[in-house]
Amino acid sequence: MDLQQIKQLNKQTAKSYNDQKALIKRVLMGKPAKCPNCQQSLQFLAPQDGSVAKITCAKGCTDIELDLS
Ligand SMILES: [Zn+2]
């Protein structure tokens, strides 16, 4: 892998990280947000006993664990 490829990869990772952060923000603010994969609505799952808060879609392709602590 040459330097150019590494740069490109970093850029893509940063972009999807920012996209994910934007999605999380929308859901937490109660705004409609859709899964980029299946276009289903994303929903916020409050933490249950022993589990963390999550943002998921109906199909499960989006499954983001939130570290709220
Ligand atoms: Zn999905």
Side-chain angles (χ1 to χ4, degrees), residues 35 37-40 57 59-62:
C35 171
N37 275 327
C38 67
Q39 306 300 316
Q40 306 279 323
C57 72
K59 290 191 173 182
C61 39
T62 294

Side-chain angles (χ1 to χ4, degrees), residues 18-52:
N18 282 334
D19 286 351
Q20 200 177 60
K21 264 201 326 200
L23 272 182
I24 292 169
K25 211 167 162 184
R26 286 184 72 85
V27 174
L28 291 183
M29 289 192 312
K31 293 189 174 178
K34 287 184 175 175
C35 171
N37 275 327
C38 67
Q39 306 300 316
Q40 306 279 323
S41 296
L42 294 176
Q43 51 183 332
F44 174 74
L45 298 181
Q48 309 288 327
D49 286 340
S51 77
V52 296

